[in-house]
Amino acid sequence: DVKVTQSSRYLVKRTGEKVFLECVQDMDHENMFWYRQDPGLGLRLIYFSYDVKMKEKGDIPEGYSVSREKKERFSLILESASTNQTSMYLCASSASGQGLREQYFGPGTRLTVT
Amino acid sequence: GENVEQHPSTLSVQEGDSAVIKCTYSDSASNYFPWYKQELGKRPQLIIDIRSNVGEKKDQRIAVTLNKTAKHFSLHITETQPEDSAVYFCAASLTNAGKSTFGDGTTLTVKP
């Protein structure tokens, strides 16, 4: 069974704080993703990584950065949290190679920035 | 880049009726179309997917159809049950690109 875990289910931070969200997968997946989920806006891709130390911007990368030092771990960093970054953050992973594209999601981190 | 539009945003049906959710995509090169179901408070999970070399795929009460010419694909749920109530997301991607572009989601409510 694929397991994707996220470091926190709920997080409350103050404006201007540096925030780290961590994601770990146990299936040796090459691809990892960070999404933000807001009502009516679906799943918007922030960043993704297809290999260790590799990253690509998604649709809404502004205000975020990522780090992937190990294959199983993908971190999302909010350098200076702002109230408009209050949201649900979902991590996902998938295998690479033809025919293997299902994404497995973590449980999500609900971040509130006050 | 790819753009995926999903309709309707909300759908309410009586138990036992059918439900249809439609998506359109913009990139004719996209060749993989998954559907995810997200129950309240839970993570999205894949329920069915289809690849561009197939026009239709069925798994018990759910089916997906794909029209490559028109660039749209649809999810069909027959004999709906209350446990089908959830948010459904469609997505489109290239199988060698890794990432998917998601639609905005459809909230399906099945009334008993």
Side-chain angles (χ1 to χ4, degrees):
Chain A
D1 232 15
V2 176
K3 197 169 182 182
V4 181
T5 58
Q6 295 182 226
S7 50
S8 306
R9 291 300 305 270
Y10 301 93
L11 209 52
V12 180
K13 294 291 182 181
R14 293 195 180 276
T15 302
E17 279 193 85
K18 190 168 186 175
V19 182
F20 293 87
L21 303 182
E22 294 211 313
C23 175
V24 177
Q25 50 93 4
D26 67 356
M27 280 302 290
D28 203 36
H29 282 168
E30 291 80 10
N31 302 321
M32 295 189 75
F33 310 85
W34 275 107
Y35 295 93
R36 122 170 225 172
Q37 184 174 21
D38 300 289
L41 296 178
L43 299 169
R44 292 183 291 167
L45 183 64
I46 304 171
Y47 268 97
F48 72 102
S49 168
Y50 52 88
D51 203 350
V52 174
K53 296 191 185 295
M54 305 302 287
K55 61 184 179 184
E56 284 199 25
K57 292 180 180 179
D59 300 318
I60 51 165
E62 296 78 19
Y64 304 94
S65 62
V66 291
S67 172
R68 192 166 181 201
E69 297 296 318
K70 293 185 177 181
K71 191 175 185 180
E72 67 271 18
R73 190 179 298 268
F74 192 34
S75 300
L76 179 69
I77 303 151
L78 288 66
E79 294 289 342
S80 177
S82 64
T83 54
N84 62 12
Q85 293 179 308
T86 291
S87 186
M88 171 67 83
Y89 291 88
L90 287 166
C91 172
S93 72
S94 72
S96 64
Q98 288 294 327
L100 297 172
R101 281 295 174 268
E102 175 181 358
Q103 291 190 23
Y104 296 86
F105 286 85
T109 295
R110 184 164 296 281
L111 172 67
T112 302
V113 182
T114 61
Chain B
E2 176 68 278
N3 182 51
V4 175
E5 294 191 358
Q6 183 173 346
H7 298 280
S9 56
T10 59
L11 180 59
S12 181
V13 300
Q14 285 295 135
E15 182 176 0
D17 288 351
S18 294
V20 180
I21 302 170
K22 299 182 179 181
C23 290
T24 60
Y25 61 99
S26 60
D27 188 347
S28 56
S30 288
N31 58 3
Y32 174 64
F33 307 92
W35 286 88
Y36 291 82
K37 175 184 180 182
Q38 185 178 28
E39 296 176 5
L40 190 63
K42 297 193 175 179
R43 68 191 78 189
Q45 290 191 297
L46 182 77
I47 55 170
I48 195 166
D49 56 11
I50 192 167
R51 298 177 198 281
S52 59
N53 58 348
V54 175
E56 183 173 358
K57 184 176 178 181
K58 193 173 181 180
D59 183 3
Q60 299 183 348
R61 294 187 298 107
I62 60 173
V64 57
T65 58
L66 171 65
N67 183 327
K68 283 191 297 181
T69 304
K71 290 188 283 188
H72 67 69
F73 56 112
S74 300
L75 178 71
H76 304 253
I77 306 174
T78 59
E79 300 172 21
T80 54
Q81 301 167 3
E83 51 264 39
D84 293 329
S85 295
V87 178
Y88 292 81
F89 294 99
C90 64
S93 68
L94 287 164
T95 53
N96 62 353
K99 66 173 185 171
S100 293
T101 300
F102 285 82
D104 288 345
T106 296
T107 301
L108 173 65
T109 302
V110 180
K111 295 182 280 188

